[in-house]
Each structure stands twice: as structure tokens, then as C-alpha cells.
Amino acid sequence: MSHPKKEQTLIIIKPDGIQRTLIGEIIKRYERTGLKLIALKMLIAKTETIRKHYTIDPEWIIKVGEKSILSYEKKGLKAPYSDPEKVGNKVLKNLQGYMTSGPIILMVWEGNQAVGIVRKITGGTEPLVSDVGTIRGDFTVDSYQIADTDDRPIRNLIHASGTVDEAQKEIALWFLKEELLNYRLIQEQILYDVNMDGVKE
Ligand code: ADP
Ligand code: MG
């Protein structure tokens, strides 16, 4: 097993994040934690790559449908649909349009518990109920209800890998091995080294 400080996760700034001119604000929030940026690129994605990205986990279609239905139940409302698979397929179709509508930025961040820390800073899927202080909670207003009413995907600025396994597969989809840079940040000495040597003069 590699050292825990080597955990990697994929972040995508979605087309709405770019259009809202939030690139700097978003990167700042991940960077200041102490996580290390090891790869970055900007591109306009192909529909097929987006489909592959969201179907890396073959259960995702069902899970995303179940999560959508549950989001209504949690608010004491009845979802406008009941078949998780149907919802999942509809979300996938809409996501393909959304994610290819303009440039996106892909980044790989590395550090202790990178997947969990990035999810925490990003916030929950639905901006309406994402925690205050998270990127999704602070910078946008979307909800399942308005997205479903207009038959479009929830615009929530960011994609962040859900698990370490998912992260590895997503990174392999978007990046070549040699695009992931192996280097040390000086601050890692303070974050991770066993002894904090070299501070006192
Ligand atoms: P997350 O991005 O938080 O991991 P999911 O993996 O559940 O969320 O869903 C992927 C993306 O699909 C979400 O970020 C959102 O943009 C979109 N989405 C999910 N469920 C719905 C829905 N019911 N209606 C519209 N868009 C949705
Ligand atoms: Mg997800």
C-alpha cells in the first residue's frame, strides 16, 4: 500500500464554474488545505468521455436515481418519478449535454485523505442543502426540484470523486500516467515529516 499522503482525487470544474468566473476562488479553497495539485488541464470534453466517466461505477445509474428520489422524501415531498433506473438514465443523458457545453478544468489533487477532504470542501450534490462554507453551498442556488421541472442537470460547479477506487479509475480516464507530476512541496515538511527539523535558526 502506498503512503496515505499519496491519496489522489479528481476534481472537475464544470462548465458553469468556468462561466461564473470562479476558477481562482475554487482552486484557492482546495489549495489552502495543504493538498498538492499534481495535474491540471482545460479542455472541451467529448460526449463519449463524459458517458464513460459517469458509468465507471456500473451501479451509479441506479444510485443517482435513488438519491434523487430520497432528496424529495427528506423534504417531505413526493418525487416526480419512481423508477431509479429511468431517472439515472435521464440524468446521464442531460449530464452529457451539460458537461460538453463549454470548457472544463480537470485537476488531480494529492494528500492525506484527499478524496474525503475534497468532498467535504465541495459540499453535497444539491446546492440548496449543501453546507454553508462549502463551494456548492456558497456559490450557487440550484435544487433537484428546479432541475427536474426544467428537465436539466443540477448545476453545481464541481465534480469530485466519491471514493478512492472511483478516483483511481477517473484519473486513468482523463490523464496519462506521465501527466501526474511527482514532486515535493516545501510545506510537506511541516504537514508530514516525522520531525519538524530546519525551523529553528
Ligand atoms: P455528485 O456530483 O455529488 O457525486 P452524483 O454522482 O449523485 O453527485 O450525480 C452526478 C451529477 O449529476 C450531480 O453532480 C448533478 O450535476 C447531476 N444530478 C444528479 N442527480 C440529478 C437529478 N435528479 N436531476 C438533475 N441532475 C442530477
Ligand atoms: Mg458522484
Side-chain angles (χ1 to χ4, degrees):
M1 196 189 93
S2 69
H3 192 280
K5 72 180 180 188
K6 293 281 181 195
E7 186 171 307
Q8 298 175 350
T9 191
L10 179 83
I11 298 174
I12 305 178
I13 306 182
K14 295 178 174 179
D16 53 327
I18 310 269
Q19 294 304 320
R20 295 278 311 282
T21 61
L22 288 170
I23 299 168
E25 177 66 41
I26 289 168
I27 292 181
K28 179 182 87 179
R29 287 176 171 233
Y30 298 116
E31 187 181 29
R32 67 187 182 183
T33 60
L35 292 176
K36 175 168 67 179
L37 181 62
I38 62 161
L40 176 143
K41 59 180 155 190
M42 188 176 196
L43 51 80
I44 298 180
K46 294 192 174 71
T47 307
E48 177 57 15
T49 321
I50 296 300
R51 193 192 61 75
K52 277 191 194 151
H53 170 90
Y54 281 107
T55 51
I56 278 176
D57 171 8
E59 314 251 284
W60 176 84
I61 299 264
I62 301 275
K63 281 197 246 171
V64 82
E66 287 172 349
K67 203 164 113 181
S68 304
I69 294 166
L70 199 66
S71 79
Y72 282 87
E73 287 171 1
K74 277 190 192 151
K75 299 186 188 92
L77 302 169
K78 200 173 147 18
Y81 33 65
S82 57
D83 180 350
E85 193 173 354
K86 238 171 146 177
V87 186
N89 279 308
K90 184 192 74 138
V91 170
L92 177 61
K93 186 175 149 278
N94 287 342
L95 275 172
Q96 290 178 31
Y98 166 40
M99 293 295 285
T100 60
S101 65
I104 57 174
I105 287 179
L106 297 122
M107 300 179 278
V108 182
W109 288 80
E110 185 181 275
N112 185 35
Q113 305 284 336
V115 172
I117 288 174
V118 164
R119 290 289 285 197
K120 183 180 68 169
I121 294 167
T122 303
T125 305
E126 185 183 27
L128 172 71
V129 295
S130 309
D131 289 336
V132 172
T134 65
I135 296 168
R136 286 167 169 174
D138 283 357
F139 294 110
T140 193
V141 294
D142 221 355
S143 65
Y144 280 100
Q145 226 170 348
I146 191 173
D148 286 335
T149 301
D150 294 341
D151 191 19
R152 61 163 179 79
I154 296 174
R155 297 191 185 119
N156 54 13
L157 307 168
I158 314 269
H159 165 81
S161 309
T163 64
V164 173
D165 179 58
E166 222 173 83
Q168 282 167 357
K169 291 177 182 153
E170 291 176 3
I171 292 167
L173 175 68
W174 292 102
F175 288 90
L176 300 169
K177 246 195 155 64
E178 57 267 30
E179 289 175 321
L180 309 177
L181 306 184
N182 217 335
Y183 73 101
R184 182 168 160 90
L185 279 179
I186 302 301
Q187 68 167 1
E188 285 176 68
Q189 203 173 339
I190 305 302
L191 291 168
Y192 302 122
D193 281 8
V194 176
N195 298 309
M196 295 217 322
D197 293 335
V199 176
K200 284 189 283 187
E201 287 193 328

